[in-house]
Amino acid sequence: MTAFSPAAAAPIANPAPAKATRVTIAHGDGIGPEIMAATLRVLDTAGVELAYDPIEIGAKAYAAGHSAGIAPDAWDAIRRNKVVLKAPITTPQGGGYKSLNVTTRKTLGLFANVRPCVAYQPFVASKHPGMDVVIVRENEEDTYGGIEHRQTAEVTQCLKLITRPGCERIVRHAFEYARAHGRSKVTCFTKDNIMKATDGLFHRVFDEVAEQYADIEADHMIIDIGAAMLADQPERFDVIVTPNLYGDIISDIAAQVAGSVGLAGSANIGPTCAMFEAIHGSAPDIAGQDIANPSGLLLSAVQMLVHLGRADAATRIHNAWLRTIEDGVHTRDITGESTRQAVGTQAFADAVIERLGQSPLHLTPAAYQNATTTPDHDAPRAANLVKKPTKTLVGVDVFLDWDQPGRDPDALAKALHRASADEALELRLITNRGVKVWPQGFPETFCTDHWRCRFVCRTLPGSTVTFGQVLALMGRLYAAGLDVVKTEHLYHFDGQPGYSLGQGE
Ligand code: NAD
């Protein structure tokens, strides 16, 4: 293999035809520049009529003092063109640096992560020859808000935020994707048997939206059994839609199970902007050697072309790539029994270019169509779907840092009763890590220094209390020397509790 030479692998003069669509290009770090050069050569030879605006992200931007790995003027180029093709970057180790991917997704509102995971057996070894699954992952919400707090010596917490508009647009995106790509089933993964409010909302919205897509089959699985099935029998799935954290995990499992982590591309889609990238990293161990596989970035560029309404070009390039794989022209990472010619990065791109206009003989050919999605389908429309509920305050959960010797819940309850004796709100329940420890707790339950103490209306539990009464209670607890680290209001929405019961309540 020869070393990578940027000049030799430069995109062929990108003539930028008069009507070319401008796309922002990030060459990235490590193997980024060489796989980007290979990808752009294929695109340009296929005549996709794109013009490129390069931006600097990653190592150089971090070194220049931009803690998120991107300079301010790069944002302008991204927002102007609205579409980014991004090579992987090297994320510096250690504190103070923010993940560029997370920053980009959230800043640009790229709410949907779409990752096709396909097996190319027998040409690339896979334990699941029939696998062809698309994971549609919610990209902005869930625990990825990064809202975390340390509240006591022993306890930290992370806020999991699931919103109705967020659920609506990701679920709708999954169904629209299925429709546009001729897929027949969307499966929702949640853990709503445990997280009834947050994951329960995701599941409920999935059921509501599914009713509007009668042509697509819809089902739901609890994430744990769903992930097990995905690893064992991925052929059972078509499109999967799931909240952020589960999606992050299962999309890597799915890519690995397909046998093609180095081959998978992904799309991050928002209402105005979109970013396309391979799922692998910058592979510094093989950088500059012309041995990296450019397929992940090339296939994400194919997703980009579909997004740009260039279904013909996307189909042509994807089919040439499939034919290259079938013909046994392979980079080092995927060589195996069916390899006939082991090639480097740029020679692989040459092989794809030679096959433009050809189709695979064994693998299923690509046949993209320009999407005819429901207009404005990505816009959140919670306001139209749901009547604003009537919200009433019925109590408060007070979280205490309390570490008296023995950590006896009965002793804490006595202290709270003494402090709140004349107040409108009365102690109803104490939990520790969500488990009821008072009244009638079990001595076996392990207790930390973090206690959730539920107060409700003294005279008629479940009836309305005022914020003033909550404040008065806080004042009394503070005066009694109790350390309140956080409160959560207990609301009813249209008379229904908007909070979970304590485990064992
Ligand atoms: P990696 O994906 O870069 O590499 C893992 C292994 O796979 C390495 O052995 C590598 O040589 C190989 N590999 C990866 N891509 C390949 C390709 N296209 N062709 C052939 N072999 C390939 O993961 P890592 O080593 O954990 O991370 C390296 C750097 O990349 C880190 O700084 C990490 O933070 C960053 N990273 C960036 C992104 C991104 O920008 N989207 C994603 C993941 C990791």
Side-chain angles (χ1 to χ4, degrees):
M1 304 283 175
T2 49
F4 170 64
S5 151
I12 46 166
N14 181 233
K19 284 192 183 157
T21 302
R22 302 203 77 81
V23 165
T24 301
I25 297 290
H27 291 273
D29 302 318
I31 59 171
E34 46 200 297
I35 59 174
M36 182 62 83
T39 298
L40 297 188
R41 280 199 303 121
V42 176
L43 262 57
D44 289 342
T45 314
V48 292
E49 299 198 335
L50 298 180
Y52 310 122
D53 291 322
I55 55 167
E56 201 66 76
I57 57 163
K60 282 191 191 146
Y62 283 116
H66 304 295
S67 66
I70 179 165
D73 57 342
W75 285 119
D76 298 339
I78 292 174
R79 294 177 61 214
R80 196 170 48 244
N81 292 337
K82 299 187 171 42
V83 171
V84 193
L85 182 64
K86 173 182 165 291
I89 62 152
T90 303
T91 315
Q93 301 288 316
Y97 297 107
K98 286 185 231 144
S99 157
L100 176 62
N101 279 346
V102 175
T103 306
T104 313
R105 282 173 197 158
K106 301 202 81 169
T107 309
L108 299 176
L110 308 181
F111 67 88
N113 183 284
V114 181
R115 184 186 289 191
C117 299
V118 185
Y120 302 102
Q121 181 89 0
F123 308 102
V124 180
S126 168
K127 289 182 190 131
H128 299 284
M131 180 170 181
D132 183 1
V133 180
V134 180
I135 312 284
V136 179
R137 161 191 169 194
E138 200 291 318
N139 228 0
E140 297 181 287
E141 302 195 340
D142 202 343
T143 47
Y144 285 54
I147 307 174
E148 296 190 291
H149 298 95
R150 180 173 177 178
Q151 296 188 325
T152 68
E154 292 177 356
V155 176
T156 53
Q157 73 157 23
C158 175
L159 212 54
K160 170 166 168 142
L161 291 174
I162 301 283
T163 72
R164 178 169 264 277
C167 295
E168 273 175 31
R169 58 185 188 172
I170 191 64
V171 170
R172 203 174 291 284
H173 192 85
F175 279 98
E176 290 288 338
Y177 181 94
R179 198 177 258 176
H181 291 81
R183 290 178 175 264
S184 57
K185 184 163 97 173
V186 179
T187 305
C188 173
F189 282 2
T190 71
K191 187 79 183 169
D192 66 338
N193 53 335
I194 303 295
M195 283 160 279
K196 295 180 172 34
T198 47
D199 284 23
L201 175 62
F202 196 96
H203 186 173
R204 216 163 44 248
V205 171
F206 176 79
D207 288 344
E208 285 169 16
V209 172
E211 278 180 18
Q212 298 159 33
Y213 293 84
D215 50 323
I216 313 250
E217 193 187 334
D219 65 358
H220 171 269
M221 291 179 95
I222 299 294
I223 178 73
D224 35 13
I225 188 63
M229 290 290 203
L230 179 63
D232 189 50
Q233 299 165 36
E235 314 78 21
R236 291 173 55 136
F237 297 100
D238 196 348
V239 175
I240 295 173
V241 64
T242 189
N244 204 342
L245 175 61
Y246 312 140
D248 195 359
I249 297 165
I250 66 158
S251 57
D252 267 21
I253 294 175
Q256 180 71 33
V257 164
S260 60
V261 178
L263 306 184
S266 73
N268 295 277
I269 310 279
T272 50
C273 296
M275 179 175 77
F276 300 84
E277 61 181 341
I279 69 167
H280 59 73
S282 59
D285 53 329
I286 57 166
Q289 298 173 39
D290 190 42
I291 57 176
N293 189 341
S295 299
L297 189 62
L298 183 63
L299 292 180
S300 59
V302 166
Q303 285 182 277
M304 176 182 78
L305 291 172
V306 177
H307 177 81
L308 290 170
R310 310 281 173 85
D312 285 351
T315 303
R316 209 162 113 80
I317 293 171
H318 198 157
N319 282 333
W321 178 84
L322 287 166
R323 183 61 181 265
T324 307
I325 296 294
E326 271 189 6
D327 285 350
V329 183
H330 294 164
T331 46
R332 198 179 68 165
D333 55 306
I334 55 167
T335 51
E337 282 175 13
S338 65
T339 304
R340 289 203 212 122
Q341 194 187 349
V343 292
T345 313
Q346 303 309 323
F348 182 85
D350 293 337
V352 176
I353 288 168
E354 275 166 28
R355 288 164 178 78
L356 285 168
Q358 297 182 35
S359 288
L361 302 173
H362 308 280
L363 296 167
T364 310
Y368 295 107
Q369 295 192 338
N370 286 326
T372 48
T373 52
T374 311
D376 198 25
H377 77 272
D378 284 344
R381 60 191 73 186
N384 304 339
L385 272 183
V386 194
K387 172 179 93 42
K388 206 140 181 95
T390 306
K391 181 172 129 181
T392 47
L393 183 64
V394 298
V396 63
D397 275 349
V398 181
F399 292 77
L400 294 179
D401 182 346
W402 188 78
D403 196 14
Q404 295 296 312
R407 295 187 179 175
D408 174 10
D410 291 332
L412 176 58
K414 271 192 199 123
L416 288 166
H417 276 132
R418 267 197 308 277
S420 63
D422 311 324
E423 295 301 324
L425 290 134
E426 180 184 47
L427 182 66
R428 266 286 130 156
L429 167 80
I430 303 176
T431 67
N432 198 296
R433 295 189 303 169
V435 182
K436 188 183 80 166
V437 292
W438 183 93
Q440 290 142 10
F442 287 2
E444 290 83 2
T445 305
F446 175 74
C447 289
T448 68
D449 54 2
H450 186 262
W451 307 80
R452 187 261 302 261
C453 310
R454 175 161 291 177
F455 287 85
V456 297
C457 180
R458 181 180 297 280
T459 47
L460 194 56
S463 60
T464 308
V465 298
T466 66
F467 187 50
Q469 290 167 333
V470 171
L471 286 178
L473 173 67
M474 292 308 117
R476 291 290 296 273
L477 299 182
Y478 174 70
L482 291 162
D483 184 5
V484 176
V485 292
K486 160 188 149 105
T487 57
E488 290 284 354
H489 286 179
L490 305 179
Y491 291 112
H492 279 182
F493 291 85
D494 288 338
Q496 295 303 312
Y499 48 88
S500 58
L501 297 178
Q503 286 158 359
E505 190 176 358

